Amino acid sequence: MNILPWIQAARLKTLVASIVPILSAIAILPSLNEVNLSVLLLTILAALTIQIVTNYINDLYDFLKGADRNRLGPKRMLQSGLITEIQMKKAIISLVIIGIFFGVPLAIKGGWIIVLIGLSSFLFAYLYTAGPFALAYHGLGDIFVFLYFGLIAVLGSYYLQTNTINLSCVYLGFSIGCKNILLLIINNLRDHKNDKQVNKKTLIVKFGYTVGKAYGLIILVMSYIGILLLSFSSHNHSLLYLMVLSIPLAMNIGFDILFKHPADLNPTLAKVSTLLTLDLIILFISRIF
Protein backbone atom coordinates (compact mmCIF):
# COMPACT_ATOMS: atom_id res chain seq x y z
CA MET A 1 0.00 0.00 0.00
CA ASN A 2 1.26 3.46 -0.93
CA ILE A 3 1.43 5.45 2.32
CA LEU A 4 2.00 8.83 0.67
CA PRO A 5 -1.68 9.55 -0.19
CA TRP A 6 -2.62 8.83 3.43
CA ILE A 7 0.02 11.25 4.66
CA GLN A 8 -1.26 13.89 2.24
CA ALA A 9 -4.86 13.27 3.31
CA ALA A 10 -3.82 13.75 6.95
CA ARG A 11 -2.66 17.29 5.98
CA LEU A 12 0.45 17.28 8.17
CA LYS A 13 0.96 21.03 7.82
CA THR A 14 -2.36 21.64 9.59
CA LEU A 15 -1.62 19.44 12.60
CA VAL A 16 0.02 22.35 14.38
CA ALA A 17 -3.57 23.46 15.08
CA SER A 18 -4.04 20.61 17.55
CA ILE A 19 -0.50 20.42 18.97
CA VAL A 20 -0.03 24.12 19.81
CA PRO A 21 -3.03 24.41 22.19
CA ILE A 22 -1.81 21.43 24.22
CA LEU A 23 1.80 22.60 24.52
CA SER A 24 0.62 26.16 25.19
CA ALA A 25 -1.40 24.89 28.14
CA ILE A 26 1.80 23.33 29.47
CA ALA A 27 3.57 26.69 29.09
CA ILE A 28 1.21 28.36 31.58
CA LEU A 29 1.30 25.65 34.25
CA PRO A 30 2.24 26.88 37.74
CA SER A 31 5.41 24.76 37.60
CA LEU A 32 7.01 23.32 34.47
CA ASN A 33 8.87 20.82 36.66
CA GLU A 34 5.64 19.00 37.53
CA VAL A 35 4.44 18.16 34.02
CA ASN A 36 2.98 14.66 33.75
CA LEU A 37 4.79 13.55 30.58
CA SER A 38 2.74 10.39 30.01
CA VAL A 39 -0.52 12.40 30.18
CA LEU A 40 0.99 15.03 27.88
CA LEU A 41 2.01 12.40 25.31
CA LEU A 42 -1.39 10.71 25.39
CA THR A 43 -3.14 14.09 25.06
CA ILE A 44 -1.08 14.93 21.97
CA LEU A 45 -1.67 11.49 20.40
CA ALA A 46 -5.42 11.67 21.06
CA ALA A 47 -5.66 15.21 19.66
CA LEU A 48 -3.66 14.31 16.55
CA THR A 49 -5.86 11.26 15.96
CA ILE A 50 -9.03 13.36 16.25
CA GLN A 51 -7.69 15.95 13.82
CA ILE A 52 -6.59 13.35 11.28
CA VAL A 53 -10.02 11.70 11.56
CA THR A 54 -11.57 15.13 10.95
CA ASN A 55 -9.36 15.65 7.88
CA TYR A 56 -10.16 12.20 6.50
CA ILE A 57 -13.91 12.70 7.01
CA ASN A 58 -13.59 16.12 5.37
CA ASP A 59 -11.81 14.57 2.38
CA LEU A 60 -14.47 11.86 2.11
CA TYR A 61 -17.61 13.96 2.38
CA ASP A 62 -16.36 16.94 0.37
CA PHE A 63 -15.70 14.37 -2.37
CA LEU A 64 -19.16 12.79 -2.02
CA LYS A 65 -20.79 16.23 -2.13
CA GLY A 66 -18.71 17.34 -5.13
CA ALA A 67 -17.07 20.21 -3.25
CA ASP A 68 -13.52 19.39 -4.41
CA ARG A 69 -13.98 19.62 -8.17
CA ASN A 70 -12.50 23.06 -8.80
CA ARG A 71 -10.81 23.94 -5.50
CA LEU A 72 -7.61 26.01 -5.51
CA GLY A 73 -5.94 24.33 -2.54
CA PRO A 74 -3.82 21.16 -2.43
CA LYS A 75 -5.42 18.22 -4.21
CA ARG A 76 -7.64 15.90 -2.23
CA MET A 77 -6.97 12.17 -2.26
CA LEU A 78 -10.44 10.83 -3.10
CA GLN A 79 -11.02 13.43 -5.79
CA SER A 80 -7.69 12.52 -7.38
CA GLY A 81 -8.48 8.77 -7.17
CA LEU A 82 -5.50 7.92 -4.98
CA ILE A 83 -7.72 6.63 -2.15
CA THR A 84 -11.08 4.90 -2.64
CA GLU A 85 -14.24 5.62 -0.67
CA ILE A 86 -14.15 2.17 0.97
CA GLN A 87 -10.50 2.55 1.96
CA MET A 88 -11.16 5.92 3.55
CA LYS A 89 -14.15 4.66 5.53
CA LYS A 90 -12.09 1.76 6.89
CA ALA A 91 -9.26 4.12 7.83
CA ILE A 92 -11.67 6.46 9.67
CA ILE A 93 -13.13 3.58 11.72
CA SER A 94 -9.63 2.31 12.56
CA LEU A 95 -8.47 5.75 13.68
CA VAL A 96 -11.54 6.25 15.87
CA ILE A 97 -10.69 2.97 17.65
CA ILE A 98 -7.06 4.10 18.06
CA GLY A 99 -8.23 7.47 19.37
CA ILE A 100 -10.43 5.77 21.97
CA PHE A 101 -7.45 3.63 22.99
CA PHE A 102 -5.39 6.77 23.62
CA GLY A 103 -8.31 8.44 25.36
CA VAL A 104 -9.15 5.75 27.94
CA PRO A 105 -6.23 6.56 30.29
CA LEU A 106 -7.04 10.27 29.96
CA ALA A 107 -10.68 9.57 30.83
CA ILE A 108 -9.59 7.63 33.91
CA LYS A 109 -7.33 10.52 34.89
CA GLY A 110 -9.75 13.39 34.17
CA GLY A 111 -13.16 11.84 34.74
CA TRP A 112 -16.47 12.41 32.99
CA ILE A 113 -15.57 15.84 31.59
CA ILE A 114 -12.70 14.32 29.57
CA VAL A 115 -15.00 11.53 28.38
CA LEU A 116 -17.46 14.19 27.21
CA ILE A 117 -14.72 16.15 25.43
CA GLY A 118 -13.38 13.06 23.69
CA LEU A 119 -16.70 11.68 22.51
CA SER A 120 -18.01 15.07 21.40
CA SER A 121 -14.75 15.67 19.49
CA PHE A 122 -15.33 12.56 17.39
CA LEU A 123 -19.01 13.46 16.97
CA PHE A 124 -18.26 16.97 15.70
CA ALA A 125 -15.40 15.65 13.55
CA TYR A 126 -18.16 13.77 11.70
CA LEU A 127 -20.72 16.58 11.78
CA TYR A 128 -18.19 19.09 10.43
CA THR A 129 -18.71 17.96 6.84
CA ALA A 130 -21.07 14.96 7.11
CA GLY A 131 -24.69 14.44 8.04
CA PRO A 132 -27.83 16.30 6.93
CA PHE A 133 -26.67 19.58 8.51
CA ALA A 134 -22.91 19.68 8.02
CA LEU A 135 -21.39 22.50 10.09
CA ALA A 136 -18.89 23.56 7.42
CA TYR A 137 -21.69 23.86 4.86
CA HIS A 138 -23.79 26.18 7.04
CA GLY A 139 -21.24 28.69 8.31
CA LEU A 140 -20.77 26.95 11.67
CA GLY A 141 -17.28 25.54 11.10
CA ASP A 142 -15.74 28.60 12.75
CA ILE A 143 -17.48 27.83 16.06
CA PHE A 144 -16.29 24.21 15.98
CA VAL A 145 -12.70 25.28 15.31
CA PHE A 146 -12.75 27.99 18.00
CA LEU A 147 -14.09 25.62 20.65
CA TYR A 148 -12.23 22.39 19.91
CA PHE A 149 -8.95 23.81 18.61
CA GLY A 150 -8.90 26.70 21.06
CA LEU A 151 -10.85 26.89 24.30
CA ILE A 152 -11.55 23.19 24.90
CA ALA A 153 -8.07 22.08 23.80
CA VAL A 154 -6.33 24.45 26.21
CA LEU A 155 -8.76 24.01 29.10
CA GLY A 156 -8.80 20.22 28.75
CA SER A 157 -5.00 19.93 28.53
CA TYR A 158 -4.52 22.19 31.55
CA TYR A 159 -7.18 20.31 33.53
CA LEU A 160 -5.53 16.95 32.83
CA GLN A 161 -2.30 18.27 34.33
CA THR A 162 -3.68 20.16 37.35
CA ASN A 163 -7.35 19.11 37.88
CA THR A 164 -8.16 22.84 37.80
CA ILE A 165 -8.79 25.61 35.29
CA ASN A 166 -8.46 29.39 35.53
CA LEU A 167 -8.94 32.62 33.59
CA SER A 168 -5.45 32.38 32.07
CA CYS A 169 -6.54 29.15 30.35
CA VAL A 170 -9.63 30.90 28.96
CA TYR A 171 -7.64 33.85 27.58
CA LEU A 172 -5.01 31.57 26.07
CA GLY A 173 -7.65 29.31 24.54
CA PHE A 174 -9.41 32.39 23.15
CA SER A 175 -6.20 33.62 21.49
CA ILE A 176 -5.28 30.25 19.98
CA GLY A 177 -8.87 29.62 18.92
CA CYS A 178 -8.86 32.92 17.01
CA LYS A 179 -5.65 32.01 15.19
CA ASN A 180 -7.04 28.60 14.25
CA ILE A 181 -10.22 30.29 12.99
CA LEU A 182 -7.87 32.44 10.88
CA LEU A 183 -6.62 29.27 9.17
CA LEU A 184 -10.21 28.44 8.29
CA ILE A 185 -10.96 31.99 7.10
CA ILE A 186 -7.98 32.02 4.75
CA ASN A 187 -8.96 28.59 3.45
CA ASN A 188 -12.51 29.83 2.83
CA LEU A 189 -11.32 33.06 1.20
CA ARG A 190 -9.23 30.97 -1.18
CA ASP A 191 -12.11 28.62 -2.03
CA HIS A 192 -15.05 31.03 -1.83
CA LYS A 193 -15.95 30.89 -5.55
CA ASN A 194 -15.93 27.10 -5.65
CA ASP A 195 -17.77 26.90 -2.31
CA LYS A 196 -20.50 29.15 -3.69
CA GLN A 197 -20.89 26.97 -6.77
CA VAL A 198 -21.30 23.78 -4.69
CA ASN A 199 -23.61 25.46 -2.14
CA LYS A 200 -21.09 25.25 0.70
CA LYS A 201 -22.35 28.21 2.72
CA THR A 202 -19.27 29.28 4.67
CA LEU A 203 -19.42 32.69 6.35
CA ILE A 204 -17.41 34.07 3.42
CA VAL A 205 -20.06 32.80 0.98
CA LYS A 206 -22.91 34.07 3.17
CA PHE A 207 -21.59 37.59 3.77
CA GLY A 208 -19.26 38.15 0.82
CA TYR A 209 -15.56 38.19 0.06
CA THR A 210 -14.96 41.79 1.27
CA VAL A 211 -16.67 41.14 4.60
CA GLY A 212 -14.63 37.94 4.83
CA LYS A 213 -11.40 39.88 4.57
CA ALA A 214 -12.53 42.28 7.31
CA TYR A 215 -13.55 39.29 9.42
CA GLY A 216 -10.07 37.82 9.05
CA LEU A 217 -8.40 41.05 10.20
CA ILE A 218 -10.74 41.35 13.20
CA ILE A 219 -10.04 37.76 14.28
CA LEU A 220 -6.28 38.40 13.97
CA VAL A 221 -6.53 41.47 16.23
CA MET A 222 -8.74 39.59 18.71
CA SER A 223 -6.08 36.90 19.05
CA TYR A 224 -3.68 39.55 20.34
CA ILE A 225 -6.30 40.89 22.74
CA GLY A 226 -6.38 37.37 24.19
CA ILE A 227 -2.62 37.50 24.73
CA LEU A 228 -2.94 40.93 26.37
CA LEU A 229 -5.54 39.59 28.81
CA LEU A 230 -3.41 36.49 29.46
CA SER A 231 -0.42 38.69 30.31
CA PHE A 232 -2.44 40.66 32.86
CA SER A 233 -4.21 37.66 34.41
CA SER A 234 -0.99 35.69 34.85
CA HIS A 235 1.06 38.76 35.88
CA ASN A 236 3.49 37.80 33.12
CA HIS A 237 4.30 41.21 31.65
CA SER A 238 7.36 39.90 29.81
CA LEU A 239 4.92 37.92 27.64
CA LEU A 240 3.37 41.17 26.46
CA TYR A 241 6.73 42.66 25.54
CA LEU A 242 7.98 39.50 23.81
CA MET A 243 4.75 39.11 21.84
CA VAL A 244 5.71 42.26 19.95
CA LEU A 245 8.21 40.04 18.12
CA SER A 246 5.38 38.24 16.32
CA ILE A 247 3.58 41.39 15.18
CA PRO A 248 5.56 41.78 11.90
CA LEU A 249 4.47 38.29 10.83
CA ALA A 250 0.88 39.07 11.87
CA MET A 251 0.97 42.27 9.81
CA ASN A 252 2.27 40.31 6.82
CA ILE A 253 -0.66 37.89 7.19
CA GLY A 254 -3.04 40.85 7.34
CA PHE A 255 -1.50 42.26 4.15
CA ASP A 256 -2.04 38.91 2.39
CA ILE A 257 -5.68 38.82 3.48
CA LEU A 258 -6.29 42.34 2.19
CA PHE A 259 -4.39 42.31 -1.08
CA LYS A 260 -3.55 38.81 -2.29
CA HIS A 261 -5.56 37.00 -4.94
CA PRO A 262 -7.41 33.93 -3.56
CA ALA A 263 -5.25 31.58 -5.64
CA ASP A 264 -2.15 32.97 -3.92
CA LEU A 265 -3.30 32.42 -0.33
CA ASN A 266 -1.87 28.92 0.22
CA PRO A 267 1.45 30.31 1.56
CA THR A 268 -0.55 32.48 3.98
CA LEU A 269 -1.86 29.32 5.65
CA ALA A 270 1.74 28.35 6.34
CA LYS A 271 2.38 31.81 7.80
CA VAL A 272 -0.50 31.40 10.26
CA SER A 273 0.87 28.00 11.32
CA THR A 274 4.25 29.68 11.82
CA LEU A 275 2.59 32.42 13.89
CA LEU A 276 0.97 29.79 16.12
CA THR A 277 4.34 28.11 16.61
CA LEU A 278 6.11 31.41 17.26
CA ASP A 279 3.54 32.36 19.91
CA LEU A 280 4.11 28.99 21.60
CA ILE A 281 7.87 29.58 21.69
CA ILE A 282 7.34 33.08 23.09
CA LEU A 283 5.08 31.66 25.82
CA PHE A 284 7.83 29.35 27.01
CA ILE A 285 10.54 32.02 26.77
CA SER A 286 8.40 34.42 28.81
CA ARG A 287 8.55 31.97 31.72
CA ILE A 288 12.31 32.49 31.91
CA PHE A 289 12.21 36.27 32.36
Side-chain angles (χ1 to χ4, degrees):
M1 183 181 73
N2 186 1
I3 195 66
L4 187 58
W6 295 101
I7 294 174
Q8 290 181 279
R11 307 176 202 172
L12 297 187
K13 292 180 180 179
T14 71
L15 298 185
V16 66
S18 59
I19 296 174
V20 165
I22 296 168
L23 295 180
S24 296
I26 299 300
I28 63 170
L29 289 175
S31 173
L32 295 179
N33 295 324
E34 297 179 6
V35 177
N36 187 323
L37 293 178
S38 60
V39 169
L40 173 60
L41 178 60
L42 284 170
T43 306
I44 291 173
L45 290 173
L48 286 174
T49 304
I50 291 167
Q51 187 177 357
I52 293 172
V53 166
T54 304
N55 290 341
Y56 281 5
I57 292 174
N58 184 248
D59 201 312
L60 173 62
Y61 282 92
D62 275 351
F63 167 73
L64 293 176
K65 294 177 180 182
D68 286 339
R69 290 172 190 156
N70 300 304
R71 67 191 305 274
L72 297 173
K75 66 179 180 180
R76 296 286 177 83
M77 296 301 100
L78 269 79
Q79 183 65 32
S80 61
L82 296 174
I83 296 175
T84 67
E85 181 182 338
I86 296 298
Q87 288 174 325
M88 184 60 86
K89 288 180 177 178
K90 289 180 179 179
I92 290 168
I93 293 171
S94 299
L95 282 173
V96 169
I97 294 171
I98 292 170
I100 292 172
F101 174 78
F102 290 142
V104 168
L106 299 178
I108 294 172
K109 172 77 168 56
W112 66 269
I113 189 66
I114 299 302
V115 174
L116 181 61
I117 290 173
L119 293 179
S120 65
S121 295
F122 281 118
L123 173 62
F124 283 105
Y126 173 79
L127 293 177
Y128 186 73
T129 48
F133 192 82
L135 300 177
Y137 283 75
H138 292 85
L140 298 174
D142 305 57
I143 297 174
F144 167 76
V145 168
F146 179 73
L147 289 175
Y148 282 89
F149 291 90
L151 281 179
I152 291 175
V154 173
L155 290 167
S157 300
Y158 192 92
Y159 180 80
L160 280 168
Q161 293 289 333
T162 65
N163 291 320
T164 63
I165 56 174
N166 55 41
L167 267 180
S168 292
C169 299
V170 175
Y171 296 143
L172 178 59
F174 176 86
S175 178
I176 294 172
C178 284
K179 288 190 175 73
N180 278 328
I181 287 177
L182 192 61
L183 286 169
L184 183 61
I185 292 171
I186 293 168
N187 187 77
N188 290 342
L189 285 170
R190 181 197 64 202
D191 295 335
H192 78 284
K193 287 186 178 180
N194 183 61
D195 288 342
K196 190 173 184 179
Q197 290 173 356
V198 300
N199 203 32
K200 186 175 183 180
K201 297 176 181 177
T202 66
L203 292 180
I204 312 300
V205 171
K206 284 188 173 186
F207 297 105
Y209 187 72
T210 301
V211 172
K213 291 195 288 186
Y215 173 42
L217 294 177
I218 291 169
I219 287 293
L220 182 57
V221 171
M222 288 174 65
S223 74
Y224 278 90
I225 292 174
I227 293 295
L228 175 66
L229 295 172
L230 170 62
S231 175
F232 290 149
S233 70
S234 61
H235 307 289
N236 184 0
H237 300 301
S238 61
L239 171 61
L240 191 57
Y241 303 136
L242 288 168
M243 200 56 67
V244 173
L245 297 174
S246 70
I247 289 179
L249 177 56
M251 292 177 67
N252 185 264
I253 292 168
F255 179 88
D256 287 357
I257 291 171
L258 279 176
F259 300 111
K260 277 199 171 182
H261 188 273
D264 299 324
L265 285 174
N266 279 330
T268 309
L269 292 169
K271 291 178 184 178
V272 178
S273 294
T274 302
L275 183 61
L276 279 162
T277 306
L278 179 58
D279 285 351
L280 171 63
I281 294 169
I282 288 172
L283 265 177
F284 276 104
I285 292 175
S286 70
R287 294 293 299 269
I288 301 172
F289 297 99

